[in-house]
């Protein structure tokens, strides 16, 4: 099975996906890491600042294509993955997509103030992106899970339960 976690910056995708992969004995990949490795830069911030967002997005789409046929894997995506339908075409192939839902307020509080992701440097920009993206996360999700007031390990357990009932009801 291929499990794809989507959600806004600060929704907990990385930490939850890691635990989920461990619990299921699946491989774990973080798309941001793969993008950074492919770019030769040190961070997403560096790619945005030195190469521009377009370069980041093109790399993101090429990694999504590479992951299309993967199995027994948990994929953590970047918050902007849903902006390009091509990404979701590749990632959703034989996959279950989990939307990690959190309020803008919670996401904002989870984001590092010292070193925010490039699109969270300005809170108003991030707030607009949140509003613009929410319908897309919902559109692409097979399962949605609220990540407020719960620990990553409890959420990972919850996800496995929800996947089981989703599969049984198919
Ligand atoms: C982005 C989110 C980041 C990273 C890049 C762009 C976005 O990932 O992919 O900075 O457009 O929301 P996280 O959601 O893991 O912070």
């Amino acid at each position: 099975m291929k499990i794809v976690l989507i959600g806004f910056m600060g929704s907990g995708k990385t930490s939850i996906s890691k635990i989920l992969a461990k619990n299921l004995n699946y491989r774990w990949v973080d798309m941001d890491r793969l993008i950074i490795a492919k770019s030769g830069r040190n961070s997403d911030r560096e790619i945005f600042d030195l190469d521009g967002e377009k370069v980041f997005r093109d790399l993101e789409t090429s990694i999504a294509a590479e992951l299309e046929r993967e199995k027994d894997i948990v994929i953590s995506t970047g918050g902007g993955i849903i902006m390009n339908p091509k990404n979701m075409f590749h990632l959703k192939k034989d996959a279950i997509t989990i939307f990690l839902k959190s309020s803008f307020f919670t996401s904002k509080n989870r984001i590092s103030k010292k070193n925010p992701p490039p699109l969270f440097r300005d809170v108003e920009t991030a707030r607009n992106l949140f509003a613009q993206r929410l319908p897309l996360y919902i559109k692409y999700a097979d399962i949605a899970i609220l990540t407020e007031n719960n620990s990553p390990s409890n959420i990972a357990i919850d996800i496995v339960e929800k996947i089981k009932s989703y599969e049984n009801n198919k």
Side-chain angles (χ1 to χ4, degrees), residues 7-11 13-14 30 32 35 44-45 48 53 56-57 60 76-81 83 111 117-119 129 133 137:
F8 201 60
M9 294 169 269
S11 60
K13 298 178 298 274
T14 304
D30 182 299
D32 283 342
I35 294 167
D44 54 340
R45 295 158 185 87
F48 271 68
E53 181 170 352
F56 182 91
R57 297 300 174 200
E60 189 171 47
S76 179
T77 61
I81 197 77
M83 300 304 286
I111 292 288
L119 297 175
L129 277 181
R133 290 174 177 181
Y137 295 127

Side-chain angles (χ1 to χ4, degrees), residues 17-132:
S17 62
K18 241 188 222 175
I19 300 170
L20 183 62
K22 203 169 168 210
N23 291 354
L24 293 169
N25 215 2
Y26 278 11
R27 207 150 65 81
W28 171 74
V29 295
D30 182 299
M31 286 190 66
D32 283 342
R33 282 198 186 191
L34 298 179
I35 294 167
I36 293 161
K38 215 172 182 173
S39 73
R41 302 287 188 195
N42 291 308
S43 65
D44 54 340
R45 295 158 185 87
E46 240 187 60
I47 307 173
F48 271 68
D49 292 345
L50 302 175
D51 307 316
E53 181 170 352
K54 167 99 175 45
V55 168
F56 182 91
R57 297 300 174 200
D58 288 348
L59 286 169
E60 189 171 47
T61 302
S62 75
I63 303 276
E66 284 170 22
L67 292 171
E68 180 169 327
R69 291 181 191 286
E70 292 287 338
K71 276 198 184 89
D72 297 344
I73 191 168
V74 177
I75 301 172
S76 179
T77 61
I81 197 77
I82 40 68
M83 300 304 286
N84 184 344
K86 267 193 205 160
N87 297 342
M88 298 315 292
F89 170 81
H90 294 305
L91 290 175
K92 277 181 73 69
K93 176 110 181 149
D94 300 324
I96 294 190
T97 308
I98 319 277
F99 168 32
L100 299 182
K101 226 161 103 182
S102 59
S103 66
F104 181 73
F105 180 78
T106 302
S107 291
K108 182 165 77 68
N109 289 337
R110 286 189 188 139
I111 292 288
S112 151
K113 305 272 172 303
K114 269 198 197 146
N115 201 14
L119 297 175
F120 225 115
R121 285 174 181 148
D122 175 65
V123 174
E124 283 320 303
T125 306
R127 199 190 302 278
N128 287 333
L129 277 181
F130 185 89
Q132 184 192 339

